């Protein structure tokens, strides 16, 4: 079936389908690496106290290349955001995982310990300067809760941002990944989450990486918490998205694309299973994915067409950084024989998808 008829076929199918979700194929850039992804899940499950999931993610983190000391740092840092009980439970869980892996003959590297702090200045000054580097704001004048209760200002600067953030086992980026993940997973801390999302951007985390973090929270921890974090990130990133060609795209301009795919007939069932998982995950956790509808040619079922509709360019960029899309993309690379991407304009752009 040629492209013209396949486009007609998918558009006709869409008339009966409004309300499904999309899929896409593009090289993934600027994404969280496997170790960073495990920092996200380890911090989030520690903060929420889900020890069964934490045990799984600790194993996965060690398998991904995190050292024992790096994971210890994440768990210790969690006490400042989720409290001593959750932090200690996380450490006990790591101890059990470490011993169980040793019994199976797995020798996980412990990694470097924190270097001694050579700076002779008082901790308050060091902590204030670290906080200024994270927030890009002057912290000399106390405002808000810090002015109302100066003791908390002292504890934050001397202990959290000097004693903890100053330790060099984790970078500022890694510490912000852990902090954002914990705050995104916990209800009732939206102002703090918003502040640390800004700090994450200030230390070099890209919007795409943060959207991937948000997606991991929605998929692995709690759907509603992920959606809430996504909305906060939307507000921080503004109403304009940047398209691949560098042009500004209004956030209310939908992105519509057709993916015309030819699959290896021998592996069609395997491909369809991965496609189904990706579509279902996108529909469940990504509010910015409006339609994802796939059809197959009756005479040539290995010819597949997918209609993708996104709320805007930012929603599309977020989608291609999600773990479920990356799993689909990587899992089907050697199954796809041909791929044609056709960007199209909606004839009725104001039409709402119900």
């Amino acid at each position: 079936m040629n492209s013209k008829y396949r486009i007609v076929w998918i558009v006709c199918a869409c008339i009966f389908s409004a309300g499904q979700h999309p899929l896409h194929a593009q090289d993934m850039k600027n994404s969280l690496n496997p170790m960073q992804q495990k920092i996200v899940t380890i911090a989030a499950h520690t903060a929420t106290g889900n020890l069964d999931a934490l045990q799984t993610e600790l194993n996965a983190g060690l398998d991904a290349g995190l050292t024992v000391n790096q994971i210890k740092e994440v768990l210790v840092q969690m006490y400042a955001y989720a409290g001593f009980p959750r932090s200690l439970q996380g450490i006990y869980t790591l101890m059990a995982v470490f011993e169980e892996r040793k019994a199976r003959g797995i020798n996980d590297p412990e990694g470097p310990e924190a270097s001694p702090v050579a700076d002779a200045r008082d901790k308050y000054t060091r902590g204030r300067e670290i906080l200024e580097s994270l927030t890009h704001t002057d912290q000399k004048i106390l405002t808000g809760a810090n002015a109302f209760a100066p003791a908390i200002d002292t504890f934050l600067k001397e202990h959290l941002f000097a004693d903890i953030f100053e330790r060099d086992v984790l970078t500022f980026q890694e510490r912000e990944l852990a902090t954002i993940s914990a705050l995104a997973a916990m209800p009732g801390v939206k102002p703090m989450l918003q502040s640390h999302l800004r700090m994450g951007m200030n230390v070099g985390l890209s919007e795409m990486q943060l959207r991937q973090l948000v997606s991991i929270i929605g998929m692995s921890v709690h759907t509603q918490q992920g959606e809430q974090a996504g909305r906060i990130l939307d507000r921080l990133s503004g109403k304009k998205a940047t398209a691949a060609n560098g042009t500004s795209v209004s956030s209310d301009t939908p992105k519509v694309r057709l993916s015309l795919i030819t699959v290896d007939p021998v592996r069609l069932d395997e491909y369809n299973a991965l496609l189904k998982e990706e579509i279902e995950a996108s529909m469940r956790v990504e509010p910015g994915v409006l339609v994802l509808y796939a059809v197959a040619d009756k005479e040539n079922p290995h010819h597949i067409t997918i209609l993708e509709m996104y709320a805007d360019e930012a929603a599309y960029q977020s989608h291609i950084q999600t773990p479920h899309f990356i799993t689909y993309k990587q899992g089907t690379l050697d199954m796809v024989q041909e791929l044609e991407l056709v960007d199209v304009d909606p004839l009725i752009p104001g039409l709402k998808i119900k």
Side-chain angles (χ1 to χ4, degrees):
M1 181 184 289
N2 64 34
S3 297
K4 178 177 70 175
Y5 292 113
R6 293 175 79 182
I7 292 172
V8 172
W9 173 245
I10 188 65
V11 171
C12 290
C14 182
I15 294 174
F16 300 100
S17 70
Q20 304 295 325
H21 268 240
L23 211 293
H24 164 77
Q26 174 174 315
D27 291 336
M28 279 76 67
K29 296 180 180 179
N30 209 14
S31 61
L32 298 175
N33 65 41
M35 289 190 290
Q36 290 172 319
Q37 292 178 41
K38 292 302 125 185
I39 289 175
V40 170
T41 53
I42 288 169
H45 289 308
T46 301
T48 58
N50 187 341
L51 300 186
D52 289 338
L54 177 60
Q55 183 175 7
T56 299
E57 294 306 311
L58 289 170
N59 274 289
L62 291 167
D63 290 340
L66 288 171
T67 68
V68 174
N69 282 334
Q70 284 175 318
I71 295 176
K72 284 181 187 177
E73 285 292 319
V74 173
L75 299 176
V76 169
Q77 182 176 320
M78 287 302 96
Y79 102 78
Y81 295 98
F84 271 118
R86 293 284 164 86
S87 176
L88 287 169
Q89 284 190 118
I91 291 170
Y92 282 125
T93 304
L94 175 60
M95 291 168 61
V97 166
F98 184 53
E99 292 303 320
E100 187 273 334
R101 289 169 68 91
K102 278 204 303 186
R104 290 193 285 124
I106 302 174
N107 296 313
D108 295 302
E110 293 202 35
E113 295 186 355
S115 304
V117 176
D119 196 331
R121 292 174 304 163
D122 65 276
K123 286 198 297 184
Y124 185 88
T125 299
R126 300 201 311 266
R128 174 178 57 77
E129 291 180 355
I130 289 173
L131 183 56
E132 287 174 342
S133 73
L134 295 172
T135 62
H136 291 181
T137 59
D138 189 339
Q139 296 292 323
K140 293 185 180 70
I141 300 174
L142 302 187
T143 60
N146 289 27
F148 184 73
I152 199 69
D153 175 72
T154 300
F155 295 151
L156 283 168
K157 290 188 173 74
E158 291 190 357
H159 188 40
L160 176 56
F161 293 107
D163 285 341
I164 296 179
F165 266 69
E166 201 167 26
R167 292 166 63 85
D168 58 4
V169 176
L170 298 177
T171 65
F172 284 172
Q173 271 196 14
E174 290 163 342
R175 291 196 182 278
E176 280 304 325
L177 277 176
T179 301
I180 294 165
S181 302
L183 295 173
M186 296 188 298
V189 290
K190 289 191 289 186
M192 295 78 185
L193 174 58
Q194 178 169 297
S195 295
H196 278 278
L197 282 167
R198 286 198 186 98
M199 291 185 209
M201 294 177 180
N202 290 343
V203 297
L205 291 170
S206 69
E207 182 181 339
M208 288 188 200
Q209 288 173 315
L210 292 173
R211 290 194 182 279
Q212 187 178 357
L213 181 158
V214 165
S215 176
I216 292 171
I217 297 298
M219 286 284 292
S220 303
V221 183
H222 197 286
T223 301
Q224 290 181 338
Q225 289 300 117
E227 291 175 351
Q228 174 183 271
R231 289 192 291 270
I232 294 172
L233 184 56
D234 286 341
R235 290 198 296 272
L236 288 177
S237 60
K239 295 183 179 180
K240 296 287 185 179
T242 302
N245 62 6
T247 60
S248 180
V249 180
S250 173
S251 63
D252 58 3
T253 301
K255 181 179 180 68
V256 186
R257 163 170 284 172
L258 300 176
S259 292
L260 312 179
I261 303 168
T262 301
V263 179
D264 180 354
V266 176
R267 305 189 67 182
L268 183 59
D269 289 343
E270 188 180 354
Y271 173 86
N272 285 340
L274 288 169
L275 177 63
K276 180 176 182 291
E277 289 178 4
E278 203 286 338
I279 290 174
E280 289 177 346
S282 298
M283 292 171 63
R284 187 170 64 251
V285 303
E286 292 188 75
V289 179
L290 304 180
V291 174
L292 190 117
Y293 196 78
V295 296
D297 185 339
K298 283 188 176 182
E299 296 180 0
N300 298 287
H302 63 293
H303 288 172
I304 294 171
T305 304
I306 303 168
L307 172 64
E308 308 174 28
M309 295 183 65
Y310 304 87
D312 51 29
E313 178 70 22
Y316 163 73
Q317 293 295 338
S318 174
H319 171 71
I320 63 174
Q321 299 298 324
T322 58
H324 47 271
F325 174 78
I326 292 172
T327 297
Y328 160 82
K329 172 65 176 175
Q330 294 177 343
T332 60
L333 278 176
D334 58 350
M335 303 178 195
V336 175
Q337 296 177 332
E338 294 182 24
L339 171 65
E340 182 181 359
L341 303 176
V342 182
D343 287 320
V344 296
D345 289 325
L347 296 180
I348 312 175
L351 184 65
K352 300 295 183 182
I353 304 296
K354 296 181 179 180

